[in-house]
Amino acid sequence: MTSLKVCFVGLGSIAKRHIKNLQDISLTNNYNLHIDIFRHGVCADFPTDLVGVSDVYYDFTALPDDYDVVFITNPTVFHYDTLIKFKDKTKHFFIEKPVFTFEQLNYLLPDLTGKMCYVACPMRYTPVIGYLKKNINVDEVYSVRAISSSYLPDWRPNSDYTKSYSAQKALGGGVSVDLIHEWDYLQYLFGLPQKLKVLKGKFSDLLIDTEDSALYLAEYPNMTAELHLDYFGRAPVRELMLICKNDTL
């Protein structure tokens, strides 16, 4: 029987979702799944209903060195240090978005030689983006407009939004780093822009210390792109408009 041994660093809502997905996949494909959890300290909020977890570790030195995958699902601000700390525990990392800064990535790259790192940016694999990637002639696109607008307090209805990493700059929050799905699929479709300007800041009455809005203007060789991101849109909107030579999509 095929086996998969994984370790989760961080146990928030995203980690629990990944654990459930792994368990469903293991049942469907009939393989043995071993899940460990690493936590930085003994926490009173450890979920009692989390089933299928083999071991919970609080001492890093006690962790095994033979994981097939390490899932980095702790707050953004800890991703870089976690990668450095766990680089010899596995050859495969699943990293929740956003990762960290480009400066940190360049510094870390020599230590990740031979490793595979997957960043959780799944929107590029959705049917809409897949269709555009396959069927759109980018040379006939004159302008692009994209928006991701939603209300941060509604993201996790059973949690206090002010305590989320999105609300705290010290934990790596803010729309410019938190809402990276749009930039991921835009660069997937059109590449990186030649010029980029951004206006960002906090403009709403949300109880956060991060920027709640970011507006980007990007210039490409043959087109322009506009991107709007915010935390305060009461009616959730996620749209992409392509203004092309012969059509508007």
Side-chain angles (χ1 to χ4, degrees), residues 111-130:
D111 291 328
L112 291 178
T113 301
K115 310 286 185 180
M116 178 176 289
C117 298
Y118 174 84
V119 180
C121 288
M123 283 193 67
R124 64 165 63 190
Y125 304 111
T126 58
V128 169
I129 302 302

Side-chain angles (χ1 to χ4, degrees), residues 4 35 47 51-52 65 70 85 105 127 133 167 169-170 183 186-187 198 200 208 214 216 236-237 244 248:
L4 182 66
I35 299 176
V51 297
D65 297 324
V70 170
K85 191 171 186 177
L105 180 61
K133 182 70 173 179
K169 187 175 182 179
W183 268 125
L186 285 173
Q187 68 84 26
V198 59
K200 63 181 180 178
I208 62 179
Y216 294 90
V237 179
C244 307
T248 297

Side-chain angles (χ1 to χ4, degrees), residues 73-91:
T73 52
N74 51 5
T76 303
V77 69
F78 302 122
H79 288 181
Y80 177 69
D81 291 336
T82 302
L83 259 177
I84 293 177
K85 191 171 186 177
F86 280 76
K87 64 183 177 64
D88 295 324
K89 296 292 183 182
T90 184
K91 291 184 178 180

Side-chain angles (χ1 to χ4, degrees), residues 4 13 25 35 44 52 68 75 82 92 96 106 108 114 134 141 144 159 165 171 186 197-198 216 226 232 249:
L4 182 66
S13 60
I25 293 170
I35 299 176
D68 295 302
T82 302
H92 305 90
E96 265 304 317
N106 291 332
L108 186 62
K134 182 178 179 181
V141 179
V144 172
S159 302
Y165 82 87
L171 295 182
L186 285 173
K197 294 183 179 181
V198 59
Y216 294 90
E226 306 165 58
F232 46 69
L249 306 177

Side-chain angles (χ1 to χ4, degrees), residues 4 15 36 47 57-58 62 65 72 81 87 173 189 196 214 228 232:
L4 182 66
D36 290 341
Y57 290 90
Y58 300 95
D65 297 324
I72 299 179
D81 291 336
K87 64 183 177 64
L189 293 174
L196 183 69
H228 173 108
F232 46 69

